[in-house]
Amino acid sequence: MNRIYFVISLTFILFLNLSIVNCKKGKSNAPLEWQNESLRLTSDICNKFRECGDSSFSSIPEEKQKFVSDRFSEANCQKRFRESEAYKVTGEKLLIVQKLYQNCHEEILKQTCADLKSNSVDRIPSCVEFKKFQNQ
């Protein structure tokens, strides 16, 4: 009988601990202002890439067109960004990441579609540094 209580108690404790860990895992303590701004910047960047892709969209095989259009839809773009380190950043790194992303955003919006298609983003210092942060 004691074994049954022990197993039930242990199961309950494990369940409780896993529930607490899972609740904390997806949450961010980043300031709401940064979260809103970063989502706006992300939306602008996705729109720019989508607009640039529209001209060559017809050259993509039909079965992949939906995948590409979904990938750059505003909702999916923001969803992926919400899962990123930059969206959740806090503390000392917050100001650094904010500045990098703001500069990267500004530079991307200045690029022509031809520039973007030639991977100009990989030559923009703030975007390169931001990407390094995201890949940590």
Side-chain angles (χ1 to χ4, degrees):
M1 192 78 156
N2 285 338
R3 279 187 163 168
I4 293 173
Y5 288 121
F6 176 74
V7 171
I8 291 172
S9 297
L10 184 61
T11 305
F12 179 73
I13 290 169
L14 286 173
F15 175 75
L16 184 61
N17 285 337
L18 288 174
S19 297
I20 291 169
V21 169
N22 286 335
C23 285
K24 289 181 179 180
K25 190 187 284 187
K27 295 197 177 182
S28 169
N29 292 324
L32 185 59
E33 297 83 24
W34 165 243
Q35 290 178 338
N36 290 335
E37 178 188 7
S38 65
L39 289 174
R40 181 187 58 77
L41 298 176
T42 300
S43 179
D44 290 349
I45 291 170
C46 283
N47 285 335
K48 176 76 175 188
F49 278 100
R50 189 173 47 252
E51 289 168 7
C52 289
D54 284 348
S55 63
S56 58
F57 197 65
S58 58
S59 67
I60 298 172
E62 193 172 322
E63 65 274 0
K64 294 184 180 176
Q65 287 181 3
K66 180 166 176 30
F67 172 77
V68 172
S69 65
D70 283 350
R71 182 113 174 127
F72 288 109
S73 75
E74 187 168 348
N76 284 336
C77 199
Q78 288 186 355
K79 179 182 181 271
R80 281 192 317 276
F81 190 77
R82 278 188 196 97
E83 297 165 355
S84 75
E85 291 302 313
Y87 182 75
K88 300 173 188 173
V89 69
T90 60
E92 298 171 3
K93 291 184 180 181
L94 177 62
L95 293 177
I96 296 167
V97 170
Q98 280 179 313
K99 195 66 174 162
L100 286 173
Y101 200 47
Q102 290 164 344
N103 291 342
C104 179
H105 165 267
E106 185 178 316
E107 291 301 316
I108 287 174
L109 295 185
K110 288 180 187 176
Q111 303 292 304
T112 66
C113 290
D115 291 337
L116 292 174
K117 288 177 184 176
S118 70
N119 291 325
S120 65
V121 174
D122 292 339
R123 296 183 297 276
I124 300 171
S126 57
C127 295
V128 171
E129 289 301 312
F130 181 77
K131 190 175 181 179
K132 285 180 188 175
F133 174 81
Q134 287 285 67
N135 293 330
Q136 290 180 348

